Amino acid sequence: MNANTDKWWVGVVAIILALVGGFSVHFMSDSNGAPAPAASNTSPKAQEAAAPSTPPTAPATQVAAATLVTNDYGRARYDPIHFKPAIDKATDADCLKCHQEVLDSKTRDASPAGLKKTDTLAWYQTLDTYAGEQMTFHQRHLTAPFIKKVATMSCTTCHQGNNPRDEVSGTSADSPTDLTMRKMVDPNLCLRCHGQFPYQNMGLPGPWHESGAAFQNNCLLCHVSIRTNRHKVNYLNAAAIEQEATANGGDSCYGCHGGRAWYRTSFPYPRHAWPGAGATVPDWAKDRPTESDLRFLIEGSKP
Ligand code: HEC
Ligand code: HEC
Ligand code: HEC
Ligand code: HEC
Ligand code: HEC
């Protein structure tokens, strides 16, 4: 259901409720796309307070409509855990209490047109790092063998809270201003591991599939001494990444730095100082931060 339909529906419910006379101001602000659901209408208490007292004579359809927004499903959907600040403290176990299906459900054995999943193979799936059968997106990023070695993502690495009703900013004067259009997760996060290989910044003559051979397809040939202060963020396993690359070569590095590029750009990585780095900052790096995003910093990540 898209946000507009959703709002239209709520508007109608609001009007019906206004007509039966049990309408509260809380509820109205909700139908206007309240910016911070957590603040005004998300907690079960707030919802109870906002729940219209249905007159005993109200027709059945109106009662049904009224319960939709105040029942357990509605409350769970607007549970404060979905939003700031509560989401910052949520553990995976907290989220999985209600969303176990994101890890348990399986991909279809065949597409509706009949193509078996065992007969499809994207080129990146031929890489040595890609193990096992097709999995769902969530499984690939949380439970697949390769990701479990190199990364330590949790639900909140990607999910930072989104407004399920109003998915685009600017739909009304008081709508939230920080929504990533129609996305539950900010794609900038994905870009970190799914961007293009930034060979220009490395002084390499061409993309890795052309220039790699000259370097034995081994990133570490250079990166054993260049930009060595890397990956010290809470969603990556820095030590295991280096082990992987030492044991299995450039594919494991390249996978996250061009090998699975869903985007046409690459992420402007922070440029951490490293031992042996000269004082001159190349032009392309002039605007780069020198630390990882605060949100992802872990203890011991400072040089
Ligand atoms: C109390 C139960 C409950 C908990 C705990 C919970 N959720 Fe939900 N969540 C729901 C319900 C119900 C919905 C609405 C289901 C739907 O639309 O498919 C929902 C919807 C979502 C959606 C879709 C939002 C949208 O725009 O439609 C995401 C993403 C999500 N939850 C992530 C999380 C994450 C991450 C956590 C932990 C921080 C979490 N949930 C914790 C019950 C819960
Ligand atoms: C790698 C990033 C990433 C991680 C980690 C992640 N999610 Fe998601 N999740 C997404 C994306 C992307 C979507 C689809 C968003 C959209 O459609 O805009 C999504 C969708 C969802 C939805 C909506 C229903 C669905 O299945 O499409 C729920 C619920 C959800 N995630 C819960 C979780 C929970 C719980 C966890 C932790 C166990 C989790 N996610 C971990 C990126 C992630
Ligand atoms: C920390 C790095 C990282 C982040 C962040 C990340 N991914 Fe991935 N993604 C990977 C890795 C690694 C694989 C391949 C895992 C494997 O081979 O088992 C992958 C695989 C995929 C696949 C292929 C899944 C399959 O089974 O064929 C898709 C699609 C994808 N990612 C989309 C996304 C999107 C969308 C986001 C942002 C919401 C995202 N990724 C964020 C590292 C990441
Ligand atoms: C010929 C040496 C060389 C090889 C081989 C090489 N790199 Fe680099 N790389 C560099 C240099 C030089 C820089 C830029 C250093 C600086 O910041 O001044 C760099 C920067 C990077 C950056 C940061 C880019 C940015 O925009 O901040 C990433 C990521 C990276 N390399 C990944 C890789 C991966 C993955 C491989 C293998 C697939 C690889 N490199 C192979 C020399 C190399
Ligand atoms: C699982 C995905 C993944 C793998 C595997 C991976 N990287 Fe990264 N790399 C990232 C992410 C995400 C960042 C940005 C981290 C941050 O924000 O500080 C990054 C940052 C970097 C940077 C920028 C360093 C700086 O100054 O902060 C370099 C250079 C780099 N990687 C090289 C490599 C090399 C070389 C390998 C193989 C040994 C490798 N990467 C393997 C995901 C990966």
Side-chain angles (χ1 to χ4, degrees):
M1 175 167 18
N2 80 31
N4 289 336
T5 326
D6 207 2
K7 284 182 60 174
W8 166 86
W9 172 83
V10 170
V12 171
V13 175
I15 291 164
I16 294 171
L17 291 173
L19 289 177
V20 290
F23 188 39
S24 88
V25 174
H26 266 100
F27 190 62
M28 181 131 146
S29 72
D30 191 7
S31 73
N32 283 339
S40 65
N41 53 16
T42 62
S43 75
K45 275 215 178 99
Q47 290 224 353
E48 243 140 52
S53 53
T54 315
T57 51
T61 47
Q62 288 171 15
V63 177
T67 37
L68 264 176
V69 269
T70 53
N71 66 6
D72 288 350
Y73 174 79
R75 269 181 219 158
R77 193 176 184 213
Y78 279 96
D79 191 293
I81 199 173
H82 286 125
F83 307 98
K84 301 268 183 187
I87 198 164
D88 288 330
K89 296 231 165 66
T91 63
D92 285 8
D94 292 337
C95 305
L96 290 169
K97 257 179 234 154
C98 299
H99 289 295
Q100 187 61 41
E101 82 285 356
V102 305
L103 294 184
D104 286 355
S105 42
K106 302 242 164 28
T107 52
R108 288 167 182 270
D109 289 331
S111 74
L115 183 62
K116 289 202 193 106
K117 76 173 170 189
T118 46
D119 293 345
T120 54
L121 203 59
W123 66 267
Y124 64 85
Q125 294 175 308
T126 62
L127 291 182
D128 288 347
T129 57
Y130 195 95
E133 289 200 342
Q134 304 247 7
M135 287 178 156
T136 66
F137 167 89
H138 280 105
Q139 289 162 344
R140 264 296 148 204
H141 290 91
L142 292 164
T143 59
F146 182 68
I147 208 80
K148 275 172 80 176
K149 275 195 252 175
V150 295
T152 49
M153 282 188 274
S154 55
C155 311
T156 55
T157 306
C158 297
H159 293 287
Q160 284 287 288
N162 66 299
N163 188 324
R165 179 164 295 152
D166 206 354
E167 296 199 329
V168 192
S169 293
T171 53
S172 67
D174 61 352
S175 77
T177 53
D178 58 348
L179 303 174
T180 311
M181 194 185 285
R182 298 211 185 285
K183 303 273 195 303
M184 294 176 201
V185 173
D186 185 346
N188 261 314
L189 198 266
C190 321
L191 182 60
R192 287 157 205 259
C193 301
H194 294 294
Q196 297 290 335
F197 182 64
Y199 68 91
Q200 300 89 337
N201 297 351
M202 301 182 212
L204 289 169
W208 190 240
H209 62 88
E210 290 169 10
S211 59
F215 302 95
Q216 302 156 22
N217 286 313
N218 185 356
C219 314
L220 291 179
L221 223 51
C222 297
H223 282 287
V224 71
S225 56
I226 295 172
R227 298 280 289 266
T228 46
N229 189 8
R230 54 184 176 242
H231 301 142
K232 290 170 187 162
V233 283
N234 58 16
Y235 61 94
L236 294 176
N237 188 341
I241 289 178
E242 300 304 319
Q243 278 165 21
E244 263 298 298
T246 312
N248 301 323
D251 268 9
S252 39
C253 303
Y254 186 58
C256 288
H257 291 293
R260 300 176 202 97
W262 318 142
Y263 300 92
R264 299 174 69 178
T265 55
S266 49
F267 187 80
Y269 294 106
R271 190 168 179 269
H272 289 87
W274 72 96
T280 32
V281 178
D283 277 348
W284 58 264
K286 288 248 159 32
D287 299 329
R288 294 292 182 86
T290 53
E291 297 276 357
S292 308
D293 271 13
L294 205 52
R295 175 157 94 82
F296 301 122
L297 281 181
I298 38 174
E299 247 173 69
S301 63
K302 303 254 168 169

